[in-house]
Amino acid sequence: MVQAAILGYGTVGAGVLQVLNMNHETIARRVGDEVNVKYVLDLREFPGTPAEKILTHNYQDILDDPEVGIVVETMGGLKPAYEFTKQALLAGKNVCTSNKELVAEHGVELRKIAREHSVNYLFEASCGGGIPIIRAINESMTADEFEEVSGILNGTTNYILTSMADEGKSFEEALKEAQAKGYAELHPEADVEGYDACRKIAILSSLAYGKHISYKDVQTEGITAVDQADIAYAKALGLKIKLIAKSSRSEKGTWAMVAPMMIGSENQLYTVDGVMNAVFVKGNALGDAMFYGSGAGSLPTASAVAGDVLECAKHLKETIRFDDTSEAMELLAPDEVTVAFFARTDASEEAVKKVFGEVQTIRLPEYPDETGFVTSVMTEAAFAEACKAVGGVKKFIRRG
């Protein structure tokens, strides 16, 4: 029998215990052995729950138990998750996690420790909730050279932008609704400012390209400045505004970015609405592929964590190969990145076209004092210079 312990009995931790218990027989058949949760670590009490009889308040109980071969870390944050994870790996225990903050900050170090002790540090649930994207990159597409990874990687922001577009709500109204429904935290900065998506695209891109991309180097913008005027222009152009996390690799170099973008129906992410997430990848052999599913929630995320538990149970003393390294990926400077832009200006169409050339312009009757326009693909630096030359450019959103 394979014994496991769960650190943190919150939404995800409780879901992992439920999945492992609910699908106990199926898991045993697929692993070739039973997987049992021996401990749940938490500071709180949980009377009347499945955790009640296996609850411990002392991490040392887990660390010192030689029977425990798998530790499931669902605590979130860096402290004490980092120390607990490191101690478990050093003790020769496998660790599975949904903690994207920890993976983004210390993943390289923790995977190195895991390799040195012939165990695993797995994190399928860290990037897309229940979407099995990491295993696909690491196992199913290993013959491909990746050219692009992009996605809608945050259900909170996707729900807010969908609500703004479909129901005409302001950002503030849509955020309050998301909080009331449990889709957004009381302090939602990590989501709405793009930090959550930034960590996820850094992790995915590092695995796809085989070199480490630090989330600190990813240009990141949130959705707090998106307003109903932007939504109106997007609709008039047949587009939607989404918070897109994207990295791309070409002969010119590699870049990574998180930002609101206007996308059209030609983009595979166009139909991803509400709290759903999706990840798009492009390989030089496979071509285009998209992975779609629930990016959050107790059971979807727990399903991904439990999948890692099964992998660890099959490879208790054998490290699963990852194409990763501590070698840093050098990224293009943000000014060198080439994209198209939508902008709003109170300058005349003639002034815009004089600087930007033949661009697509749009006027909306509800905003009679301004002009919207879509540029051709250009560098961020060239766009900034052109905006200075035109004057009066008050807002822009990239055209994805």
Side-chain angles (χ1 to χ4, degrees):
M1 180 179 291
V2 179
Q3 299 284 9
I6 297 173
L7 312 185
Y9 197 65
T11 300
V12 178
V16 173
L17 183 58
Q18 183 180 345
V19 170
L20 293 177
N21 288 340
M22 178 173 63
N23 297 334
H24 184 82
E25 292 183 6
T26 301
I27 290 169
R29 186 179 73 248
R30 291 173 178 170
V31 172
D33 199 354
E34 290 188 60
V35 177
N36 177 64
V37 179
K38 189 173 183 178
Y39 301 98
V40 168
L41 175 74
D42 205 291
L43 295 176
R44 301 164 292 176
E45 302 290 340
F46 299 95
T49 71
E52 181 181 13
K53 294 182 180 180
I54 56 174
L55 189 67
T56 179
H57 304 307
N58 186 359
Y59 181 56
Q60 206 65 37
D61 292 340
I62 297 167
L63 203 60
D64 292 343
D65 190 333
E67 289 189 346
V68 175
I70 304 171
V71 173
V72 179
E73 186 273 298
T74 58
M75 306 174 76
L78 297 179
K79 295 182 179 180
Y82 167 67
E83 283 301 327
F84 284 3
T85 297
K86 187 174 180 179
Q87 290 170 11
L89 294 171
L90 289 170
K93 301 180 188 295
N94 296 267
V95 178
C96 310
T97 187
S98 59
N99 190 340
K100 65 263 184 182
E101 185 177 0
L102 181 58
V103 176
E105 188 72 45
H106 296 291
V108 170
E109 176 197 358
L110 294 172
R111 291 197 295 276
K112 181 175 182 290
I113 294 172
R115 287 193 299 271
E116 290 171 348
H117 290 78
S118 299
V119 291
N120 293 286
Y121 181 58
L122 302 184
F123 42 93
E124 180 65 70
S126 67
C127 289
I131 302 173
I133 180 60
I134 290 176
R135 196 162 288 117
I137 289 174
N138 192 51
E139 297 178 11
S140 302
M141 298 179 66
T142 51
D144 276 67
E145 288 282 341
F146 289 92
E147 300 169 359
E148 179 182 327
V149 180
S150 62
I152 294 172
L153 298 176
N154 184 274
T156 299
T157 50
N158 204 40
Y159 179 86
I160 290 170
L161 291 171
T162 301
S163 182
M164 290 176 69
D166 292 353
E167 301 175 34
K169 296 183 186 304
S170 67
F171 169 80
E172 291 76 15
E173 291 170 336
L175 173 58
K176 287 180 180 178
E177 180 182 68
Q179 289 170 323
K181 291 186 175 183
Y183 298 146
E185 301 288 343
L186 179 62
H187 302 288
E189 289 80 10
D191 294 320
V192 300
E193 297 294 352
Y195 307 144
D196 177 77
C198 167
R199 293 186 177 98
K200 293 173 179 177
I201 194 64
I203 295 168
L204 291 175
S205 301
S206 297
L207 294 174
Y209 305 140
K211 289 186 180 180
H212 179 62
I213 294 177
S214 171
Y215 71 94
K216 297 173 185 176
D217 296 331
V218 177
Q219 182 180 353
T220 303
E221 299 174 16
I223 66 167
T224 54
V226 177
D227 58 27
Q228 275 301 324
D230 300 322
I231 298 289
Y233 279 107
K235 285 184 176 180
L237 291 165
L239 308 174
K240 292 181 181 179
I241 300 176
K242 301 288 186 182
L243 183 68
I244 302 295
K246 182 175 182 178
S247 67
S248 180
R249 184 170 65 164
S250 68
E251 292 179 358
K252 294 181 180 179
T254 301
W255 59 269
M257 177 187 297
V258 174
M261 296 186 185
M262 288 187 178
I263 61 174
S265 57
E266 77 285 350
N267 190 309
Q268 290 89 338
L269 301 172
Y270 180 83
T271 58
V272 181
D273 292 327
V275 295
M276 302 305 285
N277 281 194
V279 181
F280 167 83
V281 294
K282 177 180 287 187
N284 67 344
L286 172 68
D288 298 347
M290 192 171 86
F291 301 78
Y292 171 89
S294 179
S298 177
L299 291 185
T301 306
S303 172
V305 177
D308 280 347
V309 172
L310 266 69
E311 287 301 302
C312 287
K314 295 175 185 176
H315 306 88
L316 279 175
K317 295 297 179 182
E318 175 192 4
T319 304
I320 298 169
R321 170 76 179 166
F322 271 80
D323 182 22
D324 67 337
T325 175
S326 59
E327 183 183 353
M329 170 75 80
E330 186 175 344
L331 298 179
L332 289 173
D335 283 351
E336 299 178 74
V337 175
T338 56
V339 292
F341 297 85
F342 165 80
R344 292 160 51 192
T345 180
D346 51 20
S348 67
E349 288 188 36
E350 292 75 14
V352 170
K353 290 183 176 180
K354 183 177 180 180
V355 174
F356 282 94
E358 283 301 316
V359 296
Q360 179 185 5
T361 60
I362 182 170
R363 300 291 296 271
L364 297 182
E366 58 265 49
Y367 304 103
D369 297 327
E370 64 180 48
T371 299
F373 64 95
V374 180
T375 74
S376 58
V377 173
M378 59 197 309
T379 66
E380 298 256 348
F383 176 73
E385 285 299 314
C387 286
K388 289 179 185 177
V390 170
V393 174
K394 51 175 131 181
K395 191 82 169 286
F396 73 86
I397 295 178
R398 292 167 185 86
R399 170 71 168 93

